[in-house]
Amino acid sequence: MGRPLSMDLRERIVRAVEGGRSRRGAAAQFAVSESCAIKLMQRWERTGSVAPAPIGGRKQYKLAAHADRVRALVDARPDATIDELWAALKEAGIAVGRSAVGRFLKALGLTHKKRRSTPPSKRGPTSRRRARRGANTSRG
């Protein structure tokens, strides 16, 4: 990702457009993309500033405002699946995606993995054992 345009260049583009040039004409004059000049003028009209928006950072989780409710649901049913928590939140009128619930639980440190004390499968291993490195696997 490139750096933001200098404030001087941003101000010159705005002055050119306000002086009568078209946005595309100003873009050609100052060797920037048309979308750059158009978006810069939209920002100028909307906020009155040509300063660039902050780059990077993290967005807040949608469920951050409902953290207490999520913790209460997990405390009430620690073995609930993400789908069950998602359904409970939906019933409470909190509309988020299923994956948002999983990401938020991970951010809170509330994982939904099986406990280590869970007994292994009674049917046996689910995949074949791998041959040892260097073992002769061909029969002949």
Side-chain angles (χ1 to χ4, degrees):
M1 177 176 228
R3 294 183 307 192
L5 296 176
S6 69
M7 287 298 289
D8 177 54
L9 181 57
R10 290 167 172 265
E11 291 166 357
R12 286 187 288 155
I13 292 170
V14 169
R15 279 196 307 263
V17 172
E18 288 188 338
R21 280 199 91 104
S22 69
R23 294 173 184 198
R24 287 183 170 86
Q29 178 184 351
F30 294 106
V32 297
S33 67
E34 293 176 356
S35 69
C36 173
I38 292 169
K39 290 177 183 178
L40 180 63
M41 291 307 298
Q42 288 172 345
R43 173 183 291 278
W44 173 252
E45 292 165 355
R46 189 176 60 247
T47 66
S49 171
V50 293
I55 296 176
R58 291 182 178 253
K59 289 183 0 180
Q60 181 101 186
Y61 291 99
K62 276 190 164 184
L63 286 173
H66 308 285
D68 294 335
R69 180 175 290 247
V70 172
R71 285 184 192 274
L73 287 170
V74 172
D75 288 343
R77 292 196 47 213
D79 61 337
T81 64
I82 290 176
D83 286 330
E84 291 169 341
L85 290 172
W86 176 69
L89 289 169
K90 191 174 179 180
E91 287 176 14
I94 302 170
V96 294
R98 184 193 166 287
S99 60
V101 175
R103 283 191 304 268
F104 189 65
L105 290 174
K106 187 174 181 180
L108 291 178
L110 303 172
T111 60
H112 275 301
K113 301 281 184 187
K114 290 183 178 179
R115 285 182 267 140
R116 292 184 181 178
S117 62
T118 304
S121 171
K122 292 183 180 178
R123 294 182 179 237
T126 56
S127 60
R128 288 192 311 191
R129 292 184 126 195
R130 300 175 96 195
R132 288 187 319 216
R133 186 175 279 185
N136 186 1
T137 57
S138 62
R139 295 181 187 208

